[in-house]
Amino acid sequence: MADFDVVVLGSGPGGQKAAIAAAKLGKRVAVIEKRNMIGGVCINTGTIPSKTLREAVLYLTGLNQRELYGASYRVKDEITVTDLGMRTQHVIGREIQVIRAQLARNHVTVLQGTGRFLDPYTIGITGEDQDEKKVTADKIVIATGTSPARPASVEFDDKTVIDSDAILRLDRVPETLVVVGAGVIGIEYASMFAALGTKVTVIERRERMLEFCDLEIVEALKYHLRDLAVTFRFGESVAAVERRPRGALTLLESGKIIPADCVMYSAGRQGKTAELCLEAAGLSADDRGRIKVDENFATEVPHIYAVGDVIGFPALAATSMEQGRLAAQHACGEPSGDLAELPPIGIYTIPEISFVGRSEDELTRDKVPFEVGISRYRELARGQIIGDSYGMLKLLVSSEDRRLLGVHVFGTGATELVHIGQTVMGCGGTVDYLVNAVFNYPTLAESYKVAALDAMNKMRTVARLTADL
Ligand SMILES: Cc1cc2nc3c(=O)[nH]c(=O)nc-3n(C[C@H](O)[C@H](O)[C@H](O)COP(=O)(O)OP(=O)(O)OC[C@H]3O[C@@H](n4cnc5c(N)ncnc54)[C@H](O)[C@@H]3O)c2cc1C
């Protein structure tokens, strides 16, 4: 008999939920995790520290209160990394306790060390004493996540030239920062530092950023970030980064030279598969370290599953958790549903963005007729009360059957608000539901009703003119 029914490699969101789902089905489960990494990238270096840092920045700078109290409003004049780090460390500590308690409560064994395959059913675990212990399992879930990709041509020193892990360990708030790569992580950090007063330059090879988002909302974000002194260099590539005693020079292929205290590379992420010895299990990874899986998250070796960032897109904590749960259920022979078709996307820039469903660009490309309904926070009583004059919610409504095709939100609470739209869409609801619903007043949620009425009025105008002879 194997030592465990299920062994999970990695304790990030994917691994945790896989382990707990299997334990709930009465299986003997172990999670293998490296020292000081319980909770994975999510808790230690990714989602949770970045979102807590954002909260600390918003609170200490008083940025969201300036509309009401004036441009000079601050909670603290000199914000230090200690001020910022305190909140982050507090939340990380608490979250680790929660995860440890959940694993213990469900009788999941935590094995500390780095795991690698010795054969398809055996994992070797090397702990701090460098001794390799072996465990066997009937089913194995790989949830080893990713680490920041580091271009070979760039010399990282974790102080001046850094990645998104090292940005959490800076010893001071830089006065100037270059962010290379305007993906979600790059732009989230760019906006946090801009809010702190750092002069940020974002360099992006492509002509646009966040291409999967609604164009109008990305334009609104760019406007806001420019207002916080962010400079965008789109269509530009970095030729070299030169470290100097008091900062770094970023040399662009166009010949421009950008001086800064610090350069943060946000150039994608690499699957953590190199140390797994996948070949011993009959598996392999692609050049970005990702493992191929089927619709049940099973790899080419049927008793081995892979979930989370290590399988690639969408690489979110939100989806990784669900993949973990579904993989474990499948591995344990428990019937399970499919991953929901409508995952929301949340981007925690300042201001934040969230959406579910399709964008105007996608619908136009696919020749799907739609009407747009817009609500602006400044026209809502709650928007005035909280001092958010820029927020907006946009509904994309099918002109054929009035169903919601997409919901796009920009501004305070966007990542929470989007779930109302997600629920209506998931239940196949039409705009009529939102037109007729009564919302609490004054709330931001009321924006759904305002946007629904806007879309409805536009559709009514089309219907009226069409009926005219
Ligand atoms: C800066 C940043 C911000 C983010 N913000 C968000 C956000 O706002 N919302 C969101 O949904 N997602 C966000 N993400 C993405 C999110 O963090 C990831 O999608 C999520 O953590 C992936 O979970 P995972 O289970 O795949 O593994 P991870 O969280 O990556 O954890 C994998 C774990 O496996 C361990 N491991 C690796 N190899 C081995 C081995 N050989 N043996 C034992 N253990 C091993 C690692 O130590 C690690 O602890 C963010 C990511 C970053 C970097």
Side-chain angles (χ1 to χ4, degrees):
M1 191 165 88
D3 300 327
F4 292 96
D5 299 316
V6 180
V7 161
V8 181
L9 282 148
S11 68
Q16 263 166 58
K17 301 297 169 198
I20 288 173
K24 294 271 185 222
L25 295 171
K27 303 294 176 193
R28 296 167 304 134
V29 186
V31 172
I32 304 171
E33 181 54 90
K34 299 181 182 196
R35 188 167 167 265
N36 295 334
M37 275 305 282
I38 279 283
V41 161
C42 176
I43 303 292
N44 295 282
T45 54
T47 315
I48 297 303
S50 63
K51 264 77 265 184
T52 314
L53 182 68
R54 179 183 187 275
E55 211 58 42
V57 168
L58 285 177
Y59 172 70
L60 292 167
T61 60
L63 189 72
N64 283 346
Q65 306 300 320
R66 289 188 198 157
E67 174 88 12
L68 296 162
Y69 296 114
S72 62
Y73 181 79
R74 306 267 184 292
V75 169
K76 195 164 188 288
D77 280 330
E78 285 296 317
I79 300 169
T80 63
V81 285
T82 314
D83 301 325
L84 299 167
M86 203 176 65
R87 189 164 181 156
T88 312
Q89 284 316 315
H90 171 80
V91 177
I92 292 176
R94 287 291 169 93
E95 281 288 282
I96 290 174
Q97 283 179 25
V98 170
I99 293 166
R100 280 197 186 281
Q102 277 175 356
L103 294 173
R105 204 165 62 221
N106 287 285
H107 309 291
V108 174
T109 307
V110 178
L111 303 168
Q112 194 178 295
T114 302
R116 66 173 182 130
F117 283 97
L118 298 178
D119 66 50
Y121 291 93
T122 312
I123 308 282
I125 307 166
T126 308
E128 263 167 79
D129 55 9
Q130 298 305 315
D131 258 5
E132 189 167 54
K133 298 182 184 66
K134 292 179 192 173
V135 288
T136 55
D138 293 332
K139 308 278 175 174
I140 295 170
V141 181
I142 304 172
T144 50
T146 54
S147 49
R150 290 185 159 198
S153 57
V154 182
E155 260 184 65
F156 289 84
D157 66 350
D158 285 359
K159 278 182 137 189
T160 313
V161 184
I162 58 174
D163 59 23
S164 64
D165 284 358
I167 201 157
L168 297 164
R169 300 191 296 268
L170 285 180
D171 55 10
R172 67 195 166 95
V173 177
E175 279 180 24
T176 46
L177 172 71
V178 165
V179 174
V180 183
V184 174
I185 295 172
I187 213 72
E188 284 186 356
Y189 277 120
S191 70
M192 283 182 235
F193 279 89
L196 283 170
T198 301
K199 300 259 175 300
V200 181
T201 304
V202 176
I203 300 163
E204 169 58 55
R205 211 167 356 103
R206 287 166 296 189
E207 295 295 339
R208 271 179 68 177
M209 66 177 195
L210 308 178
E211 279 143 336
F212 51 95
C213 289
D214 180 88
L215 184 60
E216 190 180 358
I217 284 179
V218 176
E219 287 302 320
L221 175 68
K222 279 181 3 199
Y223 172 85
H224 270 265
L225 293 182
R226 284 193 174 113
D227 205 40
L228 289 175
V230 174
T231 305
F232 289 102
R233 297 275 173 224
F234 288 110
E236 296 256 27
S237 296
V238 174
V241 178
E242 290 177 6
R243 264 193 287 137
R244 293 282 189 268
R246 284 182 296 149
L249 295 172
T250 304
L251 282 58
L252 304 189
E253 279 175 8
S254 62
K256 295 185 191 76
I257 300 176
I258 306 171
D261 291 346
C262 199
V263 178
M264 184 187 96
Y265 257 82
S266 181
R269 300 186 61 91
Q270 183 74 19
K272 269 199 187 156
T273 43
E275 41 186 29
L276 280 179
C277 296
L278 287 176
E279 57 291 349
L283 287 170
S284 60
D286 68 12
D287 59 348
R288 291 182 55 193
R290 293 171 303 198
I291 300 174
K292 208 166 92 189
V293 291
D294 68 11
E295 66 284 6
N296 298 310
F297 306 102
T299 65
E300 283 156 350
V301 179
H303 73 281
I304 303 178
Y305 292 72
V307 298
D309 285 12
V310 78
I311 64 170
F313 184 83
L316 292 168
T319 43
S320 301
M321 293 183 203
E322 201 45 17
Q323 292 168 355
R325 186 180 71 83
L326 293 173
Q329 290 198 330
H330 191 267
C332 300
E334 178 78 4
S336 59
D338 294 329
L339 196 68
E341 271 174 29
L342 279 174
I345 301 291
I347 303 174
Y348 293 84
T349 39
I350 299 174
E352 68 191 56
I353 294 177
S354 195
F355 70 89
V356 62
R358 307 176 73 189
S359 67
E360 287 196 57
D361 281 353
E362 285 168 349
L363 293 169
T364 305
R365 186 197 59 211
D366 296 345
K367 296 195 169 48
V368 178
F370 66 93
E371 197 49 86
V372 182
I374 289 188
S375 163
R376 299 196 185 275
Y377 286 9
R378 64 169 178 267
E379 288 176 11
L380 301 174
R382 176 57 66 187
Q384 291 295 346
I385 292 169
I386 62 172
D388 182 335
S389 59
Y390 47 82
M392 64 176 280
L393 180 139
K394 185 192 238 188
L395 297 181
L396 306 181
V397 181
S398 163
S399 356
E400 285 168 344
D401 60 12
R402 303 157 80 89
R403 284 214 279 197
L404 292 193
L405 302 171
V407 178
H408 300 264
V409 199
F410 177 66
T412 309
T415 50
E416 301 281 355
L417 280 175
V418 77
H419 295 111
I420 297 176
Q422 180 194 19
T423 307
V424 175
M425 287 175 75
C427 296
T430 65
V431 70
D432 304 84
Y433 170 77
L434 295 170
V435 166
N436 296 324
V438 175
F439 286 84
N440 278 332
Y441 176 85
T443 57
L444 292 177
E446 201 202 349
S447 56
Y448 274 96
K449 186 166 178 113
V450 175
L453 284 166
D454 184 35
M456 181 81 114
N457 288 335
K458 288 176 182 163
M459 289 196 287
R460 195 179 286 132
T461 308
V462 174
R464 202 183 306 127
L465 292 182
T466 311
D468 282 351
L469 293 176

